[in-house]
Every structure is written in C-alpha cells, then in structure tokens.
C-alpha cells in the first residue's frame, strides 16, 4: 500500500449553533458548501496575513473567483 497522497483530510469541528448558522448563511450567499466556505475563509485569512498558500491548494483559485459582495440592509 505505499505512500498514497490523500486528496482531502477530515477535520471535525465544533461550532455554537449561532456560528454554524452564520457559516450557513455566508456559504449560501456565496453559493458554496460549508466545507468550501471554511476553506475559502482560511485561504483568505492566510493571504491577508502573508502566510504562503500553495498555488495548487484546494480551493485557492476558487476562493477568489467565486467571492461575491452582497449587501442586505
């Protein structure tokens, strides 16, 4: 069974009900899954803080392409 690189990793997170609802709303507005929204938030955070993000990192290119600005008043 040698070294097989996994395409994804599993991470278990705990959120308060309010945080989960906020994540769901944000993901819905961006037309993303919850997991893709979290990836996007992490990538954007790293890029804004000068933390190198591998060019081929999953979601790296989609993070910028799919981000939209919406204002609800």
């Amino acid at each position: 069974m040698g070294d097989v690189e996994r395409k994804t990793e599993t991470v278990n997170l705990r959120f308060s009900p309010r945080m989960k609802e906020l994540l769901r709303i944000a993901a819905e507005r961006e037309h993303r899954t919850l997991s893709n929204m979290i990836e996007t938030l992490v990538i954007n955070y790293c890029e804004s803080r000068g933390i190198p993000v591998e060019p081929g990192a999953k979601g790296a290119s989609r993070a910028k392409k799919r981000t939209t600005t919406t204002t609800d008043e």
Side-chain angles (χ1 to χ4, degrees):
M1 286 202 202
D3 292 327
V4 176
E5 187 174 332
R6 295 176 73 174
K7 292 184 179 185
T8 62
E9 294 286 336
T10 300
V11 176
N12 294 312
L13 303 170
R14 286 178 134 348
F15 288 102
S16 69
R18 179 64 182 145
M19 284 294 114
K20 184 178 178 186
E21 179 64 8
L22 290 171
L23 177 61
R24 186 197 65 75
I25 291 168
E28 186 176 280
R29 287 187 181 183
E30 296 287 329
H31 305 285
R32 297 176 183 275
T33 63
L34 295 180
S35 60
N36 183 259
M37 189 69 216
I38 292 169
E39 286 178 359
T40 300
L41 292 169
V42 171
I43 288 167
N44 289 341
Y45 176 88
C46 290
E47 288 176 344
S48 73
R49 302 300 193 283
I51 300 169
V53 177
E54 295 178 26
K58 183 178 181 195
S61 61
R62 290 186 305 217
K64 291 189 177 193
K65 286 182 187 174
R66 295 181 69 183
T67 301
T68 59
T69 304
T70 342
T71 54
D72 288 338
E73 313 235 2

